[in-house]
Amino acid sequence: MVSGEWSVVNGARRPGIRPGIVLSVALALAACGAQPSATPTAVPRVYAPPYAMPVVRPWAEAYVAETDAPLPFDLDPRPRPAALDLTPTIPDSLMIFDGPPPSGWFATPLGNVPIVIVVHPDNPLDNLDSSDIADLFARRTVVWSALGGSPVDVQPVVPLAGEAVRDGFEESVMAGTPIWPGAWLAPTPEAMVTLIASEPGAVGFLLGADVPPDVVAVSIDGRAPGDSGYPYALELLAFAPSEPTGGVRDWLGWVQARIVAP
């Protein structure tokens, strides 16, 4: 008989079990039946600047289509400082940016991607001289008719400061000449396309030769984006604290074999 409190059942006094004992027994039984839960494995992330996403995302989609395998990472658009902080926190994560990578990190090239000058679809100019581009974005050329185009004002549109493609553009195109302070700012490539399409005199730039139909890519010195000798490009690197393994490594090899050196 278990000693303890007495209870009354149908008029008879019977020994009972204190509530604390009942709770202890219940917890013990629950503990015996509980199974240890597995710690979920963090999915690797591939970080890239917003303006590189129209380039990197098709690489990921083509890999899935060709291999019939799930994408071994999540794509995450981030500016460089945030990506540098986050990449070391999840194993096999990496960054796709221009260089240089931090000292001691694994790095591998992913090729040169053209920086494409884009204009409104109604702009009649489909070719510009490289000597004209800095003047347009500094707005030393004020009206498109000065270059043989329509009599509309030039309106530069540029990514936010710190975006990789803007840094590359300022280095390779502007060469120390400041961008006009009245330039419109486009935080994403989608915003760039929307602004260019809304203003007949707008001129901006995107990363990658495949541009949306709402804007038009112009040739530079007679060379279209993607042609040999096209003058503007951003070199993309993949880099990480250590060399990735597993599916992320397989994807990098696939990109280098089929995209960078087809």
Side-chain angles (χ1 to χ4, degrees), residues 137-212:
F137 283 88
R139 211 166 181 267
R140 291 188 295 234
T141 299
V142 177
V143 183
W144 280 101
S145 57
L147 300 178
S150 303
V152 295
D153 290 346
V154 172
Q155 177 57 61
V157 185
V158 296
L160 300 179
E163 173 70 40
V165 68
R166 175 166 170 174
D167 292 343
F169 179 84
E170 290 182 344
E171 180 179 350
S172 62
V173 179
M174 302 305 291
T177 300
I179 290 173
W180 181 52
W184 291 349
L185 297 178
T188 65
E190 293 79 12
M192 174 69 74
V193 171
T194 298
L195 290 172
I196 296 289
S198 72
E199 172 55 52
V203 58
F205 50 91
L206 294 167
L207 193 60
D210 295 328
V211 303

Side-chain angles (χ1 to χ4, degrees), residues 82-121:
L84 282 170
D85 289 340
L86 292 169
T87 300
T89 64
I90 302 176
D92 289 328
S93 294
L94 58 83
M95 298 172 56
I96 296 179
F97 279 79
D98 57 331
S103 177
W105 280 34
F106 161 83
T108 188
L110 295 180
N112 293 320
V113 180
I115 299 173
V116 182
I117 309 301
V118 291
V119 296
H120 190 278

